[in-house]
């Protein structure tokens, strides 16, 4: 299916407001204990805690941890609380005669303890020493990569082999939080999504935010039976317990339906971070239920850190190179301005003119009530209307857009040559401006399903469902230029400051 449209956001404010961290159930592969930070008495627990303690959850409330945890386990927990240890490294605890791996989450007045029931064998051995050895070669290959795609391909291949998932994908978020699949390794019978883009609503804002708190999200079986937490309300907060940090946090019904529509039973998603922001995800799919050891979860965390560091390094190198070029070109232009008697002439006609500096196809300088043009720019009557719009907005700072038609309808008539606009005020009175234009670049986006049908509501307008189809939906995006890079915007701001000072002195 093919569709033509102007640029549009596919994020969902509705989905982004759903409190998925307050789901108040856990998945059965683990149990949860909530206890008072000072007295170590149990405040809440998941109903399946009886498997470890041989005590029903109702009878556990109010008991001190020492009633069922070993003295050594208590001492370790107290040490972590006293040191306010916030890392998520699993540690061994003993419940009666059985050892488990657990994770402690320290809050202001209470703590959450996740107990992993699938970790009994791991808890009896030191498996973490082996993790680095298994990945040493892959880490070396990623660190020597020259590009993001290459690093993504290696990561997908290594994790597919190590984890046994049916499919592993690496995808990057764009500026609108749509996810683009950069690399993929999968079994032949798995549907390929390589090169596909998935709308932002697939991973809404509140789910994206949780990846900043928790490095991965593992769902071993979408058909799990939810385990309730007792009592329902946390005695400390008198509300549902916040499970943002917890691996065993239950899964929302709409996400289970989403996995079902994709024919996925088990999934694993691991964050990729750049500049302390979510850059992308490592997404894994499996056709059947699948257990994951803490060792393998550690592999994913380690690979997440490695590829995050590499992507940051590649980005920093690219940024330094671009910054170096911009500074060199900017310095030449400043010299030409000082040499020239006419500012518009220096900006538009010098060898180091603003078109070269900002990679633009057209420029207009409005200076002392005169309009000076260079390159591909709108017609005079179109330009007059655009200047009226700029004056009405009283632009006193640098303004940028790569979708001018999305802000002023009249601009759609000349989008082919001016879909992108950068405005630099030349004086403090906002009477003189420098306008730079970039032409339309028609983009072809291969969506995983029609993004306009990303969700559907039932008659009550409360119950909703994710889209059913993830088949190719090809879209031609019009009215958009190449984006203005952060380094270019910063250069524009430097120029704005210089030109305002220059105008005062001349």
């Amino acid at each position: 299916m093919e569709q033509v449209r102007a640029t549009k956001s596919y994020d969902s404010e509705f989905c982004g407001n759903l409190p998925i961290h307050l789901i108040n159930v856990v998945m059965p592969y683990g149990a949860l204990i909530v206890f008072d930070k000072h007295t170590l008495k149990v405040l809440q627990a998941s109903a399946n805690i009886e498997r470890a303690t041989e005590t029903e959850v109702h009878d556990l409330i109010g008991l001190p941890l020492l009633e069922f945890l070993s003295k050594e386990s208590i001492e370790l927990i107290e040490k972590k609380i006293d040191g306010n240890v916030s890392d998520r490294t699993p540690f061994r605890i003993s419940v009666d005669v059985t050892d488990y791996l657990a994770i402690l989450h320290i809050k202001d007045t209470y703590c959450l303890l996740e107990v992993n029931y699938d970790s009994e064998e791991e808890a009896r051995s030191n498996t973490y020493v082996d993790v680095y050895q298994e990945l040493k070669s892959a880490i070396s290959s990623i660190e020597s990569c020259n590009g993001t795609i290459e690093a993504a391909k290696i990561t997908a291949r290594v994790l597919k082999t190590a984890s046994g998932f049916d499919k592993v994908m690496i995808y990057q978020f764009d500026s609108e939080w749509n996810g683009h699949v950069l690399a993929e390794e999968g079994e032949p019978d798995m549907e390929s999504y390589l090169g596909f883009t998935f709308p932002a609503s697939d991973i809404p804002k509140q789910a994206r935010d949780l990846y900043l708190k928790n490095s991965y999200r593992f769902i071993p079986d979408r058909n799990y039976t939810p385990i309730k937490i007792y009592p329902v309300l946390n005695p400390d907060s008198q509300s549902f317990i916040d499970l943002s940090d917890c691996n065993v946090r239950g899964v929302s019904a709409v996400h289970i339906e989403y996995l079902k529509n994709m024919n996925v039973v088990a999934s694993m998603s691991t964050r990729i971070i750049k500049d302390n922001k979510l850059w992308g995800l490592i997404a894994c799919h499996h056709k059947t239920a699948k257990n994951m050891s803490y060792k393998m979860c550690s592999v994913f965390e380690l690979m997440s850190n490695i590829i995050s560091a590499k992507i940051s390094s590649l980005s920093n190198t690219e940024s330094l190179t671009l910054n170096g070029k911009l500074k060199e070109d900017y310095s030449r232009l400043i010299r030409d301005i000082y040499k020239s008697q006419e500012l518009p002439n220096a900006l538009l006609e010098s060898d180091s003119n603003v078109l070269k500096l900002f990679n633009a196809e057209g420029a207009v300088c409005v200076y002392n009530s005169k309009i000076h043009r260079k390159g591909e720019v709108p017609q005079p009557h179109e330009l007059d209307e655009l200047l009226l719009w700029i004056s009405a907005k009283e632009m006193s700072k640098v303004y940028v857009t790569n979708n001018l038609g999305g802000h002023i309808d009249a601009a759609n008539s000349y989008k082919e040559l001016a879909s992108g606009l950068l405005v630099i005020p030349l004086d403090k009175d906002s009477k003189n401006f420098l306008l730079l234009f970039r032409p339309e670049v028609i983009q072809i986006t291969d969506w995983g399903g029609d993004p306009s049908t990303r969700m559907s509501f039932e008659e009550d307008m409360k119950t909703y469902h994710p889209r059913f189809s993830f088949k190719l939906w090809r879209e031609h995006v019009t009215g958009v230029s190449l984006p203005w890079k952060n380094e270019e915007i910063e250069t524009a701001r430097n120029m704005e400051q210089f030109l305002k000072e220059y105008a005062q002195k001349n």
Side-chain angles (χ1 to χ4, degrees), residues 86-318:
S86 58
D87 71 88
R88 293 170 42 81
T89 303
F91 62 97
R92 183 186 297 115
I93 64 168
S94 297
V95 185
D96 289 334
V97 296
T98 306
D99 289 344
Y100 301 98
L101 291 179
I103 295 178
L104 182 68
H105 308 278
I106 303 172
K107 306 299 179 181
D108 290 338
T109 60
Y110 61 86
C111 297
L112 295 90
L113 185 68
E114 291 185 73
V115 181
N116 191 298
Y117 284 147
D118 295 336
S119 66
E120 292 181 45
E121 183 176 345
E122 282 187 282
R124 291 191 292 269
S125 63
N126 184 15
T127 59
Y128 293 97
V129 177
D130 305 326
V131 172
Y132 178 75
Q133 292 299 324
E134 291 183 9
L135 299 176
K136 188 175 181 181
S137 175
I139 292 171
S140 177
S141 297
I142 292 173
E143 289 176 342
S144 63
C145 284
N146 295 317
T148 300
I149 300 295
E150 184 183 358
K153 287 180 177 179
I154 294 173
T155 302
R157 183 169 63 250
V158 168
L159 288 177
K160 168 73 172 65
T161 301
S163 68
F165 271 102
D166 290 327
K167 181 164 66 176
V168 176
M169 297 176 290
I170 312 293
Y171 65 85
Q172 176 185 2
F173 293 115
D174 64 17
S175 59
E176 298 289 345
W177 294 108
N178 304 305
H180 181 70
V181 181
L182 303 177
E184 178 185 83
E185 288 286 330
E187 295 298 313
D189 61 340
M190 294 292 286
E191 188 169 355
S192 176
Y193 298 130
L194 183 62
F196 279 26
T197 300
F198 291 87
S201 56
D202 281 13
I203 306 177
K205 183 181 184 301
Q206 90 281 27
R208 297 192 299 262
D209 290 345
L210 290 180
Y211 283 105
L212 299 178
K213 298 181 178 181
N214 198 344
S215 59
Y216 65 85
R217 176 65 162 148
F218 173 49
I219 302 172
D221 186 356
R222 72 163 193 243
N223 300 312
Y224 80 104
T225 300
I227 306 298
K228 294 182 179 180
I229 295 174
Y230 179 85
V232 173
L233 298 181
N234 177 264
D236 184 74
S237 63
Q238 290 300 309
S239 64
F240 283 4
I241 193 75
D242 185 345
L243 300 179
S244 298
D245 301 340
C246 296
N247 293 334
V248 295
R249 170 171 50 88
V251 188
S252 67
V254 71
H255 188 63
I256 290 174
E257 188 176 353
Y258 180 85
L259 293 175
K260 184 177 181 180
N261 292 347
M262 294 189 87
N263 296 316
V264 171
V265 177
S267 71
M268 173 79 163
S269 300
T270 311
R271 69 188 182 189
I272 301 176
I273 300 291
K274 176 182 173 292
D275 298 332
N276 297 317
K277 296 179 181 179
L278 190 62
W279 179 92
L281 288 177
I282 303 169
C284 308
H285 292 167
H286 206 65
K287 298 187 295 289
T288 59
K290 180 177 177 59
N291 290 330
M292 280 269 285
S293 67
Y294 263 129
K295 175 184 176 181
M296 187 49 59
C297 290
S298 298
V299 169
F300 273 87
E301 285 195 87
L302 178 59
M303 291 300 290
S304 164
N305 292 336
I306 295 298
I307 193 172
S308 293
K310 184 59 182 180
I311 287 169
S312 295
S313 174
L314 290 168
S315 177
N316 290 338
T317 300
E318 180 183 323

